[in-house]
Amino acid sequence: MDTALTQHVLGEFIGTFVLVILGDGVVAADVLKRTKSNGSGWVLITFGWGLAVAMAVFMSGYLSPAHINPAVTIGMAIAGETPWGYVLPYILAQMAGAILGAVVVWLHYKPYFEATEEPETVLAVFSTAPGIRDIGNSVIGEIIGTTVLVFGILAFGRNTFGDGLNPLVVGLLIVSIGMSLGGTTGYAINPARDLGPRIAHQFLPIANKGDSDWGYAWVPVVGPLIGGIIAALLFMLIP
């Protein structure tokens, strides 16, 4: 692995690690019993995830493109913004960072997991699930949300922002997607963000956990990947 790629892989690992600590962390703060912010609601979660993305990009962008999302990485490769040889190393680093980030969230909130008796609430800290279990609708929702995300990121790259503003704009896009489109599936819009913590949920000795809902797990992986591809193809149609 060449020096540049090694640095990029480290950046993708750090960025996704931070993303999951702050993103899954805000969900834990809202849904786990006896936290100071228990029951704060969807607005807290959407703003928390938006800020998690922005901070993760700020903290890793000096090392890598800070995709922190396999759907973004694949979309960028299709659009010619990322070498195809970097795609698999990026995704592996993103997955590793997501798994480790979920472990840190569990350690931080360990006694609050013990105070929360509902297995579905415990799983909600780590991964997404639909409000209504309609698999087709859930796939469509993840495709739409990720298409908006990846197209937005590609478009932002053609705009001129003041120094340091780009991560904040991407964070606001995440907030907007969450508020407008996220209420159906919980808006994974990122395969690593969902699959990595779901793997951690599977192997960690978390109090009161049930199964990891592997029957649904493919939806927040396949849907975002399709959305990232669609976004890149649409963007390439624009002169």
Side-chain angles (χ1 to χ4, degrees), residues 189-206:
I189 58 174
N190 181 339
R193 166 265 177 274
D194 194 278
L195 183 58
R198 198 182 297 267
I199 291 170
H201 177 273
Q202 177 70 42
F203 73 73
L204 287 172
I206 306 165

Side-chain angles (χ1 to χ4, degrees), residues 214-234:
W214 290 107
Y216 181 78
W218 66 272
V219 173
V221 173
V222 173
L225 291 177
I226 294 172
I229 292 168
I230 291 172
L233 295 175
L234 289 174

Side-chain angles (χ1 to χ4, degrees), residues 14 35 47 90 95 99 116 144 147 174 178 206-207 213 225:
I14 291 172
T35 71
F47 269 97
Y90 278 18
M95 285 295 300
I99 292 170
T116 304
I144 293 170
T147 299
I174 296 293
I206 306 165
D213 195 10
L225 291 177

Side-chain angles (χ1 to χ4, degrees), residues 85-226:
Y86 283 23
V87 170
L88 182 58
Y90 278 18
I91 292 174
L92 293 175
Q94 291 157 3
M95 285 295 300
I99 292 170
L100 186 58
V103 172
V104 171
V105 171
W106 169 66
L107 289 171
H108 183 77
Y109 282 100
K110 191 172 182 293
Y112 300 89
F113 283 109
E114 293 168 0
T116 304
E117 298 176 353
E118 302 81 8
E120 64 275 11
T121 301
V122 170
L123 180 59
V125 173
F126 297 90
S127 55
T128 60
I132 297 174
R133 204 168 180 89
D134 181 327
I135 296 299
N137 180 260
S138 297
V139 172
I140 290 169
E142 289 293 339
I143 290 172
I144 293 170
T146 314
T147 299
V148 173
L149 171 65
V150 176
F151 189 91
I153 291 172
L154 286 165
F156 296 160
R158 298 289 178 88
N159 285 285
T160 301
F161 297 104
D163 290 345
L165 281 182
N166 193 278
L168 291 178
V169 174
V170 174
L172 287 174
L173 176 59
I174 296 293
V175 174
S176 181
I177 292 170
M179 288 187 168
S180 300
L181 304 172
T184 55
T185 65
Y187 73 118
I189 58 174
N190 181 339
R193 166 265 177 274
D194 194 278
L195 183 58
R198 198 182 297 267
I199 291 170
H201 177 273
Q202 177 70 42
F203 73 73
L204 287 172
I206 306 165
N208 301 312
K209 78 171 183 179
D211 68 69
S212 302
D213 195 10
W214 290 107
Y216 181 78
W218 66 272
V219 173
V221 173
V222 173
L225 291 177
I226 294 172

